[in-house]
Amino acid sequence: IYIPEKIRTIVGANCKIRIGAALCEGKQPVFRVQGGGEPLVIENFWFRRNDVRINNVWYFDIDADRDVKLRNLSDHNILDDNASSPAVTAAGQGGLYLEDVAFGRVRIRQKNVWARQLNIEVGSDDYPMVENDGGRLWILGFKMERKGVCIRTVGGGFTELLGGFLYPTKAISEEVPAVWNDNSNVTAVFCSNSNATDQAADKYYKTVVTERRGGETRSLRRTDLPGRINVGNTVAMYSGYAAVPEAVG
């Protein structure tokens, strides 16, 4: 569905969009937003696929010079862990606002993004849940399940996470961090949780934060941080910066 510039609001009234087989390869988005115009709000949709997991779905391709808000959206946890395509791609000069959304991966490229109550439950060691490539990302309230890198910041991007609850439900590799700062700028406040059986099943982050500066890589390990509920952790604040951000007007 191509959304033209004159459209300002799309309200789903909590309806379900069933994903057809042709869209399950992640090659074409369900919604595409381009161009300028007045701010756009898309809200109150559920995405489904006949109650089975699918590998790849690209819900939103947003390459626009107008502000776009995605609000009250969910895919009902239908994506497979091996899904390689992001659910949302974001570029262009306009801002993106994510409010109370729960779906697959988000990939940002040189864009300003503000997120509140972001829940992603698709994880693997190969694909981060959120990737910020040279953009500016602010998150108030983040939750995850399954496994993998939660937030990866590259290309000199800026990421600020205020309040994250990490609840891994699958085994996590030794060197896979929750937060990955690759020659970029990140501040993060978050915690991870576990239950008594998770330690034996490796369902926790051994490496919590990894930061790369030039040719040097350092990591915060679980044993470096205050504990929380069995093998969980608390990160009161991590901050790693190469530059000072400018204010967004």
Side-chain angles (χ1 to χ4, degrees), residues 94-248:
L96 174 62
Y97 299 83
L98 303 173
E99 181 179 332
D100 192 19
V101 295
F103 42 39
R105 296 183 179 86
V106 177
R107 186 168 66 199
I108 301 161
R109 187 176 71 253
Q110 297 179 351
K111 191 175 185 71
N112 294 329
V113 178
W114 292 265
R116 185 168 66 88
Q117 295 182 196
L118 178 62
N119 179 25
I120 298 181
E121 298 185 16
V122 178
S124 75
D125 292 347
D126 298 321
Y127 306 106
M129 298 180 182
V130 179
E131 183 170 61
N132 176 10
D133 184 359
R136 301 183 60 160
L137 170 63
W138 178 87
I139 303 174
L140 177 62
F142 174 83
K143 174 185 170 288
M144 62 77 69
E145 291 190 23
R146 303 197 199 179
K147 64 175 183 175
V149 177
C150 296
I151 302 173
R152 181 172 182 255
T153 307
V154 299
F158 290 85
T159 296
E160 185 173 6
L161 169 62
L162 301 175
F165 178 72
L166 313 185
Y167 187 55
T169 57
K170 295 195 174 183
I172 300 175
S173 300
E174 183 76 22
E175 300 302 325
V176 172
V179 174
W180 174 243
N181 181 358
D182 190 350
N183 289 295
S184 296
N185 311 279
V186 176
T187 295
V189 178
F190 62 97
C191 68
S192 63
N193 198 32
S194 69
N195 61 51
T197 62
D198 285 342
Q199 186 167 8
D202 279 342
K203 296 178 183 178
Y204 64 97
Y205 286 98
K206 297 83 172 171
T207 302
V208 182
V209 178
T210 294
E211 178 178 337
R212 177 184 293 158
R213 292 284 167 218
E216 183 180 4
T217 300
R218 296 184 180 184
S219 294
L220 276 174
R221 306 281 293 180
R222 182 183 71 85
T223 52
D224 299 327
L225 297 166
R228 181 183 186 275
I229 306 178
N230 298 309
V231 288
N233 284 111
T234 297
V235 179
M237 175 175 285
Y238 157 75
S239 183
Y241 277 76
V244 178
E246 298 180 357
V248 177

Side-chain angles (χ1 to χ4, degrees), residues 1-3 28-36 39-42 58-71 73 86-98 101 103 106-113:
I1 301 174
Y2 173 73
I3 302 176
Q28 293 292 332
V30 179
F31 291 98
R32 173 163 281 155
V33 183
Q34 294 177 319
L40 169 67
V41 177
I42 303 174
W58 186 5
Y59 298 134
F60 295 96
D61 176 30
I62 300 170
D63 190 356
D65 293 334
R66 62 168 165 167
D67 291 347
V68 176
K69 175 182 281 189
L70 305 180
R71 180 168 58 194
L73 303 172
V88 179
T89 56
Q93 296 301 309
L96 174 62
Y97 299 83
L98 303 173
V101 295
F103 42 39
V106 177
R107 186 168 66 199
I108 301 161
R109 187 176 71 253
Q110 297 179 351
K111 191 175 185 71
N112 294 329
V113 178

Side-chain angles (χ1 to χ4, degrees), residues 2-9 34 36-40 66:
Y2 173 73
I3 302 176
E5 296 181 2
K6 292 184 178 181
I7 300 297
R8 297 179 60 180
T9 303
Q34 294 177 319
E38 296 293 322
L40 169 67
R66 62 168 165 167

